[in-house]
Amino acid sequence: MTLISLIQQINIDEKIKNAPDNGYLIGVWIGYVLPFAVLVGLAWLMYRRAKKRQDER
């Protein structure tokens, strides 16, 4: 698994430098931020669910 992640490393600066237009830049930025936002959302949902269970006791 780590071998695959090392092979697939993406250089964001290089993509931005070679971007054909602003739409591409927005897409690169969304693709860079979206995984982090999803993980934060999942962590928040897990926290709320655990807190709700604790409050019910």
Side-chain angles (χ1 to χ4, degrees):
M1 182 82 166
T2 55
L3 178 61
I4 293 172
S5 65
L6 289 174
I7 292 171
Q8 293 181 346
Q9 279 186 336
I10 299 170
N11 189 352
I12 300 299
D13 295 329
E14 184 177 327
K15 281 192 167 203
I16 290 173
K17 186 173 136 183
N18 298 329
D21 60 357
N22 284 340
Y24 186 80
L25 291 175
I26 293 170
V28 168
W29 186 79
I30 289 172
Y32 183 72
V33 173
L34 188 62
F36 177 72
V38 169
L39 287 175
V40 168
L42 286 173
W44 180 77
L45 287 172
M46 291 171 59
Y47 168 77
R48 294 289 296 172
R49 191 173 201 183
K51 185 152 177 70
K52 187 176 179 181
R53 279 188 185 170
Q54 186 179 17
D55 289 343
E56 288 177 358
R57 288 185 182 189

